[in-house]
PDB file of all heavy atoms in Angstrom:
ATOM      1  N   THR Y   3      72.652 116.722  89.143  1.00 96.00           N
ATOM      2  CA  THR Y   3      73.441 115.502  89.041  1.00 96.00           C
ATOM      3  C   THR Y   3      72.609 114.399  88.405  1.00 96.00           C
ATOM      4  O   THR Y   3      71.462 114.173  88.788  1.00 96.00           O
ATOM      5  CB  THR Y   3      73.905 115.046  90.436  1.00 96.00           C
ATOM      6  OG1 THR Y   3      74.671 116.095  91.036  1.00 96.00           O
ATOM      7  CG2 THR Y   3      74.746 113.790  90.351  1.00 96.00           C
ATOM      8  N   VAL Y  33      77.512 118.567  93.924  1.00 96.00           N
ATOM      9  CA  VAL Y  33      77.145 117.167  93.762  1.00 96.00           C
ATOM     10  C   VAL Y  33      76.939 116.482  95.109  1.00 96.00           C
ATOM     11  O   VAL Y  33      75.952 115.763  95.317  1.00 96.00           O
ATOM     12  CB  VAL Y  33      78.226 116.412  92.954  1.00 96.00           C
ATOM     13  CG1 VAL Y  33      77.932 114.911  92.931  1.00 96.00           C
ATOM     14  CG2 VAL Y  33      78.307 116.948  91.539  1.00 96.00           C
ATOM     15  N   LEU Y  41      69.936 110.663  99.079  1.00 94.00           N
ATOM     16  CA  LEU Y  41      70.012 109.488  99.948  1.00 94.00           C
ATOM     17  C   LEU Y  41      69.130 109.644 101.180  1.00 94.00           C
ATOM     18  O   LEU Y  41      68.525 108.672 101.653  1.00 94.00           O
ATOM     19  CB  LEU Y  41      71.466 109.247 100.370  1.00 94.00           C
ATOM     20  CG  LEU Y  41      72.417 108.790  99.257  1.00 94.00           C
ATOM     21  CD1 LEU Y  41      73.851 108.730  99.777  1.00 94.00           C
ATOM     22  CD2 LEU Y  41      72.000 107.436  98.706  1.00 94.00           C
ATOM     23  N   GLN Y  61      85.152 122.089  88.898  1.00 94.00           N
ATOM     24  CA  GLN Y  61      83.807 122.622  88.673  1.00 94.00           C
ATOM     25  C   GLN Y  61      83.453 122.785  87.193  1.00 94.00           C
ATOM     26  O   GLN Y  61      82.341 122.420  86.788  1.00 94.00           O
ATOM     27  CB  GLN Y  61      83.637 123.958  89.407  1.00 94.00           C
ATOM     28  CG  GLN Y  61      82.222 124.511  89.304  1.00 94.00           C
ATOM     29  CD  GLN Y  61      81.970 125.634  90.287  1.00 94.00           C
ATOM     30  OE1 GLN Y  61      82.677 125.774  91.278  1.00 94.00           O
ATOM     31  NE2 GLN Y  61      80.954 126.432  90.046  1.00 94.00           N
ATOM     32  N   ASN Y  93      90.003 103.111  86.790  1.00 93.00           N
ATOM     33  CA  ASN Y  93      90.534 103.756  85.596  1.00 93.00           C
ATOM     34  C   ASN Y  93      89.614 104.871  85.132  1.00 93.00           C
ATOM     35  O   ASN Y  93      88.395 104.694  85.034  1.00 93.00           O
ATOM     36  CB  ASN Y  93      90.691 102.725  84.472  1.00 93.00           C
ATOM     37  CG  ASN Y  93      91.276 103.344  83.223  1.00 93.00           C
ATOM     38  OD1 ASN Y  93      92.373 103.888  83.231  1.00 93.00           O
ATOM     39  ND2 ASN Y  93      90.516 103.286  82.141  1.00 93.00           N
ATOM     40  N   GLY Y 102      95.110 123.883  67.821  1.00 92.00           N
ATOM     41  CA  GLY Y 102      96.367 123.497  67.199  1.00 92.00           C
ATOM     42  C   GLY Y 102      96.524 121.998  67.086  1.00 92.00           C
ATOM     43  O   GLY Y 102      95.646 121.214  67.458  1.00 92.00           O
ATOM     44  N   ALA Y 143     103.439 113.991  88.806  1.00 92.00           N
ATOM     45  CA  ALA Y 143     102.216 113.941  88.009  1.00 92.00           C
ATOM     46  C   ALA Y 143     102.539 113.287  86.668  1.00 92.00           C
ATOM     47  O   ALA Y 143     103.446 113.729  85.966  1.00 92.00           O
ATOM     48  CB  ALA Y 143     101.658 115.349  87.792  1.00 92.00           C
ATOM     49  N   LEU Y 145     100.851 111.866  83.016  1.00 95.00           N
ATOM     50  CA  LEU Y 145      99.695 111.967  82.118  1.00 95.00           C
ATOM     51  C   LEU Y 145     100.044 111.367  80.764  1.00 95.00           C
ATOM     52  O   LEU Y 145     101.105 111.643  80.209  1.00 95.00           O
ATOM     53  CB  LEU Y 145      99.291 113.440  81.970  1.00 95.00           C
ATOM     54  CG  LEU Y 145      98.146 113.834  81.051  1.00 95.00           C
ATOM     55  CD1 LEU Y 145      97.516 115.145  81.527  1.00 95.00           C
ATOM     56  CD2 LEU Y 145      98.586 113.993  79.589  1.00 95.00           C
ATOM     57  N   CYS Y 213      86.193 116.267  79.517  1.00 98.00           N
ATOM     58  CA  CYS Y 213      85.111 115.386  79.953  1.00 98.00           C
ATOM     59  C   CYS Y 213      85.670 114.046  80.402  1.00 98.00           C
ATOM     60  O   CYS Y 213      86.403 113.387  79.657  1.00 98.00           O
ATOM     61  CB  CYS Y 213      84.121 115.164  78.808  1.00 98.00           C
ATOM     62  SG  CYS Y 213      82.801 113.963  79.173  1.00 98.00           S
ATOM     63  N   THR Y 227      83.927  93.630  87.466  1.00 96.00           N
ATOM     64  CA  THR Y 227      84.429  94.836  86.823  1.00 96.00           C
ATOM     65  C   THR Y 227      83.258  95.615  86.242  1.00 96.00           C
ATOM     66  O   THR Y 227      82.500  95.096  85.421  1.00 96.00           O
ATOM     67  CB  THR Y 227      85.427  94.509  85.702  1.00 96.00           C
ATOM     68  OG1 THR Y 227      86.552  93.830  86.258  1.00 96.00           O
ATOM     69  CG2 THR Y 227      85.911  95.778  85.015  1.00 96.00           C
TER      70      THR Y 227
END
Side-chain angles (χ1 to χ4, degrees):
T3 302
V33 173
L41 291 174
Q61 185 166 340
N93 182 59
L145 178 154
C213 175
T227 298

